[in-house]
């Protein structure tokens, strides 16, 4: 009897881009893709961090390089993609948050969060996809959303607005790009312990409220997201597009 074979999770010979890759989730996802065999470009505004990250990946036996890129500078984004071959995998990870009640949100706050989390993601993806189509690459787009793109949260109006928009945009991308064999999906994490979130957990009441909603009883770690990224980047998810892989410890199940 011939048994079916599990599709490969390996990414050998594929080129991957991870934005916001200097630390936290972005660095972890870059490492995950490199560990699966991809040639990974770490992009961010923080040159020292991405150089250090790329060096660490190389030291561990992976293939990686660093590229300075401000994803909110659309001219720079266009030049970035024009100067190099198309990527097979693009991970839109760059993002920010300004927690506050909606009553206190200024126009500057709105623009800062939506321009990075949503607008930059759209136009990075557009440039990446144009190159994929030109080079006839069946690519994988992975957008780092959030559980807050599936539920609401107090003092998270801007973040929720951007992450709900990412979910809708992702589905439309999947429909627009299916004919080109380009897949688009999101990863939607719960609260992950990173340098960006550590200050939030200095408040014990906030920490207790978060852990009460994560049914598995612990904060997420960057390692919890690494397998999800490799899955969505690889042939193992070749029929998966237009959906969200929610890594939230059960938060949104309630």
């Amino acid at each position: 009897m011939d048994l079916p074979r599990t599709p490969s999770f390996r990414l050998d010979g594929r080129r991957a881009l991870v934005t916001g890759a200097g630390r936290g989730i972005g660095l972890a996802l870059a490492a995950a893709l490199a560990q699966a065999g991809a040639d990974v470009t770490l992009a961010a505004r923080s040159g020292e961090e991405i150089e250090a990250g790329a060096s660490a990946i190389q030291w561990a036996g992976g293939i990686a390089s660093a590229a300075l890129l401000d994803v909110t500078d659309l001219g720079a984004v266009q030049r970035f993609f024009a100067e190099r071959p198309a990527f097979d995998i693009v991970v839109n990870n760059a993002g920010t948050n300004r927690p506050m009640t909606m009553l206190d949100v200024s126009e500057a706050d709105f623009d800062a969060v939506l321009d990075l989390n949503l607008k930059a993601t759209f136009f990075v993806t557009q440039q990446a996809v144009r190159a994929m189509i030109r080079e006839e690459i069946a690519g994988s787009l992975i957008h780092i959303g959030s559980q807050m793109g599936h539920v609401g949260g107090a003092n998270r109006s801007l973040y929720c607005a951007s992450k709900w928009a990412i979910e809708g945009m992702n589905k439309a991308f999947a429909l627009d790009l299916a004919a080109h064999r380009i897949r688009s999906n999101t990863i939607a994490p719960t609260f992950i312990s990173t340098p960006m979130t550590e200050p939030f957990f200095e408040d014990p009441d906030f920490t207790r409220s978060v852990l009460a909603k994560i049914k598995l009883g612990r904060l997420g770690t960057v390692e919890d997201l690494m397998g999800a990224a490799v899955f969505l980047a690889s042939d193992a998810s070749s029929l998966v597009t237009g959906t969200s892989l929610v890594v939230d410890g059960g938060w949104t199940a309630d």
Side-chain angles (χ1 to χ4, degrees):
M1 177 185 296
D2 292 331
L3 293 175
R5 297 181 64 85
T6 303
S8 177
F9 287 78
R10 293 294 303 173
L11 302 173
D12 303 279
R14 302 187 196 183
R15 301 182 68 252
L17 169 68
V18 181
T19 68
R23 65 177 88 172
I25 292 172
L27 178 58
L29 299 189
L33 298 178
Q35 288 162 16
D39 177 347
V40 183
T41 298
L42 289 75
R45 291 178 291 187
S46 50
E48 290 185 4
E49 287 183 338
I50 54 174
E51 289 287 355
S55 294
I57 290 171
Q58 293 165 1
W59 186 84
I63 305 171
S65 59
L68 273 175
L69 179 64
D70 178 355
V71 293
T72 64
D73 182 341
L74 301 189
V77 168
Q78 188 171 12
R79 290 190 296 273
F80 174 85
F81 285 99
E83 292 169 354
R84 45 187 46 84
F87 292 94
D88 302 273
I89 302 154
V90 173
V91 181
N92 283 302
N93 170 72
T96 191
N97 188 13
R98 293 193 180 185
M100 66 186 76
T101 171
M102 60 86 64
L103 296 171
D104 293 333
V105 171
S106 68
E107 184 177 5
D109 295 322
F110 185 99
D111 289 344
V113 175
L114 274 294
D115 280 359
L116 180 55
N117 291 10
L118 181 61
K119 183 178 179 180
T121 294
F122 186 100
F123 286 104
V124 166
T125 303
Q126 184 187 70
Q127 292 297 320
V129 162
R130 285 175 175 171
M132 287 177 181
I133 292 171
R134 185 171 60 247
E135 298 184 26
E136 299 183 343
I137 288 173
S140 175
L141 309 170
I142 303 170
H143 318 288
I144 305 305
S146 170
Q147 67 185 14
M148 295 300 177
H150 296 264
V151 296
N155 299 321
R156 295 293 190 279
S157 58
L158 293 178
Y159 196 70
C160 286
S162 68
K163 296 304 184 178
W164 277 79
I166 287 288
E167 293 296 340
M169 187 171 71
N170 170 63
K171 291 183 182 298
F173 284 170
L175 298 177
D176 284 350
L177 301 175
H180 300 285
R181 299 178 303 130
I182 297 171
R183 299 181 297 108
S184 180
N185 294 286
T186 72
I187 298 174
T190 188
F191 284 91
I192 304 295
S193 180
T194 68
M196 188 177 85
T197 62
E198 282 176 3
F200 301 153
F201 299 115
E202 293 173 1
D203 179 348
D205 291 334
F206 177 78
T207 302
R208 279 192 293 271
S209 71
V210 166
L211 292 177
K213 291 188 175 183
I214 299 177
K215 305 311 177 189
L216 292 180
R218 66 172 176 85
L219 297 176
T221 67
V222 294
E223 289 83 0
D224 291 317
L225 306 179
M226 293 171 77
V230 172
F231 169 68
L232 290 177
S234 74
D235 292 342
S237 62
S238 64
L239 198 61
V240 180
T241 194
T243 194
S244 181
L245 183 46
V246 183
V247 185
D248 70 347
W251 183 304
T252 62
D254 191 355

